[in-house]
Amino acid sequence: PAKKPAPAAAKKKAVPAPKEETSPKEEAAPKEEAAPATEEPPAPEHPPEQPPVPTDEAAPTPTEAGAEATPVPAEGSPAPPAEPAAPAPEPEPEKPKEEPPSCPLSLAVEEVTENSFTLTWKAPEQVGRAGLDGYVVEICKDGSSDWKAVNQEPFLSTRYTVPNLSSGDKIHVRVAAVSASGASVPATLEQPVLIREILQLPKIRMPRHLRETYLRRVGDAVNIMIPFQGKPQPQVSWTKGGQPLDTNRINIRTTARDTIFYIRQAQRGDSGKYELTVRINGAEDKATLDIQVVEPPGPPQNLKLVDVWGFNVALEWSPPADNGNSEIKGYRVQKSDKKSGKWFTVLERCTRTSCTISDLIIGNTYSFRVFSENICGLSDSAAVASGAAYIEKTKTTYQPEKIPQRDMMEPPKFTQPLTDRTTTRGYSTHLFCSVRGFPQPKIIWLKNQMEIREDPKYIALIDQGVCSLEIRKPGPFDGGVYTCKAVNPLGEASVDCRLDVK
């Protein structure tokens, strides 16, 4: 019987209420009120309002048995809260599309010929992450709007020559940068390019090092490139002494901008002046290439040992028969001692054909040889003197120099006298004077005309003519007149001074 009011309680549970106002105590309240009832309960005075039933969920009825045992969770019920439904994933924002590169910079015309022109430009400031695939050059004739791409595939160079044009045409041109993100805004020339032949007088640009004589050694390669300019394409010719070149020895290769002069192995016969001529119609320009092929010179000729005297040897020779096609800069002279057999250089770059060798050692036998030298270096061999030079020992008698005897005798003479002094009692003092004479004079010290003998209070010394007398810790009794006397066999001299002790 206690379960009869269950349907009413079930209806109360179905009423939606705010979640925070619902608690377990409020749920149990209807059960406690229904427990004491033993009879049929009277109908409630105010029946509970029926909440609107959701369309997808049926409300419980009182006739359903076990409604309380297995209640259906409803809104506001104290049953365990259901897990919240997972929020729907937010749509991912679309990645911004990468921008194409910026416009190429500094588009300009570098050169125009009668059937082509050359463009230059700089890379754009922004190329994007994908990097630059290259550039596309488009042209359009003046008065037309039909742009045509000149290159089939993009290229990365910032210089391009547009070929196969007709003289007199006016061509508009533009260049676009291309990447994976697309093409940039094209860079366009403001004015059309007029295709016409530009006349330019021929001019040879001789390198500075070729304006002087070009030296090479025999057997070396000669490889010279000389640039030139001129429009239309000039005619280039080489001659030597007014005659065409020997193509078996000299190779000439000429391009639109330079000419190359090449000899695989130079010989002395290749030396000489070569004339280069660049000609366009009646105008021409000429330049001269002076080539000198050199080699080491031959040895000197007729080396002779002319004279030997004392410690000296005189040599003479003649210039070499072959100077190696270069001026002789000098000669190198060497000597060899018979004892050691080694050669030592005595003179380098001797410019004359004779020399004198000195400071030779007495008793030794010497041989001599001479090398000639030019711009390539020393000759491969030397000229050797036919004879040998023997340095003899000469007999000489030593004559000592006679020095006149001089009379050095001199009586004593004081060059520095004694000076009066004042000293303090108990402080040692010194008296000084200087004397000269020969023989060395004897020095005698006196105090108040009494000779000072072996008294420990006085110390008398003489050194290099300087006489000194030390008076140790003088007292009032030590004051008086002191005399220094110098005596030798030629005479005597004396000086005196006064000493005051305070």
Side-chain angles (χ1 to χ4, degrees):
K3 291 182 181 180
K4 289 182 179 179
K11 290 181 180 180
K12 288 183 179 181
K13 287 181 183 179
V15 177
K19 190 175 181 180
E20 52 272 354
E21 293 178 2
T22 307
S23 65
K25 291 181 180 180
E26 293 175 358
E27 277 182 34
K31 293 182 181 180
E32 291 175 1
E33 293 174 0
T38 55
E39 299 178 358
E40 286 187 12
E45 297 178 359
H46 303 286
E49 297 179 0
Q50 295 291 336
V53 180
T55 57
D56 57 346
E57 204 174 288
T61 57
T63 56
E64 290 177 357
E68 189 175 345
T70 55
V72 179
E75 290 186 14
S77 67
E83 292 184 1
E90 296 182 2
E92 294 184 2
E94 293 184 2
K95 292 183 180 180
K97 189 176 181 181
E98 190 172 345
E99 295 183 358
S102 58
C103 177
L105 304 175
S106 305
L107 178 61
V109 178
E110 182 183 72
E111 185 181 10
V112 180
T113 68
E114 65 274 11
N115 56 10
S116 68
F117 66 91
T118 302
L119 298 170
T120 61
W121 62 90
K122 294 182 180 179
E125 293 182 353
Q126 300 177 0
V127 297
R129 294 182 181 178
L132 201 62
D133 291 343
Y135 303 94
V136 173
V137 179
E138 295 179 329
I139 60 173
C140 174
K141 287 188 176 182
D142 191 27
S144 172
S145 60
D146 185 14
W147 288 93
K148 294 182 180 180
V150 181
N151 53 312
Q152 300 297 330
E153 297 292 335
F155 59 91
L156 290 174
S157 174
T158 57
R159 185 176 183 272
Y160 188 78
T161 299
V162 180
N164 303 326
L165 300 175
S166 300
S167 180
D169 288 347
K170 291 185 178 181
I171 304 296
H172 294 272
V173 61
R174 65 187 183 186
V175 178
V178 180
S179 72
S181 303
S184 69
V185 176
T188 307
L189 286 176
E190 295 183 359
Q191 299 294 331
V193 180
L194 176 60
I195 308 303
R196 63 176 181 176
E197 182 179 3
I198 300 176
L199 294 178
Q200 185 179 27
L201 293 177
K203 177 68 175 177
I204 299 173
R205 298 192 174 277
M206 182 69 77
R208 185 180 299 274
H209 70 281
L210 297 178
R211 297 175 189 174
E212 301 177 355
T213 303
Y214 183 72
L215 291 174
R216 301 300 290 172
R217 295 190 62 160
V218 171
D220 289 350
V222 178
N223 191 2
I224 298 172
M225 183 182 72
I226 302 176
F228 58 83
Q229 64 185 28
K231 289 184 180 180
Q233 179 66 36
Q235 181 182 359
V236 179
S237 62
W238 284 89
T239 58
K240 181 182 180 182
Q243 299 298 322
L245 302 184
D246 181 6
T247 56
N248 293 327
R249 292 201 45 78
I250 304 173
N251 296 319
I252 302 294
R253 186 175 64 85
T254 301
T255 67
R257 296 187 178 184
D258 54 49
T259 180
I260 296 175
F261 180 99
Y262 178 72
I263 303 176
R264 184 178 298 276
Q265 289 184 338
Q267 301 297 328
R268 287 173 60 169
D270 297 325
S271 301
K273 296 182 182 296
Y274 294 82
E275 298 85 19
L276 170 63
T277 304
V278 177
R279 184 180 293 105
I280 300 177
N281 298 331
E284 66 178 24
D285 189 21
K286 293 186 176 182
T288 301
L289 175 63
D290 187 5
I291 297 178
Q292 185 176 356
V293 183
V294 298
E295 60 183 341
Q301 295 180 312
N302 306 321
L303 176 60
K304 297 178 182 179
L305 189 61
V306 178
D307 195 6
V308 180
W309 75 99
F311 313 104
N312 310 301
V313 169
L315 299 174
E316 285 184 357
W317 61 88
S318 301
D322 181 11
N323 64 0
N325 200 29
S326 177
E327 179 186 358
I328 298 296
K329 290 184 172 292
Y331 301 91
R332 180 174 296 183
V333 182
Q334 294 183 338
K335 68 178 180 179
S336 174
D337 185 356
K338 188 176 182 179
K339 292 181 179 179
S340 66
K342 296 181 179 180
W343 291 97
F344 297 93
T345 299
V346 181
L347 294 173
E348 287 188 356
R349 293 282 179 96
C350 176
T351 57
R352 296 170 295 148
T353 56
S354 63
C355 70
T356 299
I357 302 173
S358 303
D359 300 329
L360 300 176
I361 299 174
I362 293 177
N364 287 355
T365 301
Y366 292 93
S367 298
F368 300 92
R369 68 183 184 183
V370 180
F371 292 88
S372 53
E373 184 178 3
N374 67 1
I375 194 170
C376 283
L378 296 176
S379 56
D380 296 333
S381 60
V384 181
S386 57
Y390 175 70
I391 309 303
E392 296 181 355
K393 296 180 181 179
T394 56
K395 295 180 181 180
T396 57
T397 303
Y398 175 69
Q399 296 291 340
E401 185 181 355
K402 293 182 180 180
I403 302 174
Q405 297 293 328
R406 183 180 177 185
D407 186 8
M408 305 294 292
M409 304 297 284
E410 183 182 6
K413 180 181 178 181
F414 282 94
T415 57
Q416 183 69 33
L418 292 172
T419 57
D420 296 341
R421 292 181 63 90
T422 300
T423 186
T424 305
R425 176 180 179 180
Y427 288 88
S428 298
T429 187
H430 292 77
L431 302 177
F432 293 98
C433 62
S434 298
V435 66
R436 75 181 184 186
F438 190 82
Q440 183 176 346
K442 179 182 177 181
I443 303 300
I444 301 172
W445 287 92
L446 301 96
K447 174 190 173 188
N448 296 330
Q449 303 302 319
M450 297 293 293
E451 184 178 349
I452 298 174
R453 295 186 180 275
E454 296 179 0
D455 188 341
K457 193 174 188 67
Y458 303 97
I459 299 176
L461 299 173
I462 181 170
D463 183 21
Q464 301 291 328
V466 179
C467 306
S468 65
L469 177 67
E470 181 182 0
I471 305 170
R472 303 178 65 185
K473 297 183 179 180
F477 176 75
D478 295 319
V481 177
Y482 286 82
T483 302
C484 180
K485 183 185 290 186
V487 181
N488 74 356
L490 298 182
E492 64 177 42
S494 64
V495 290
D496 53 20
C497 68
R498 184 170 189 81
L499 177 67
D500 292 332
V501 181
K502 294 185 179 180

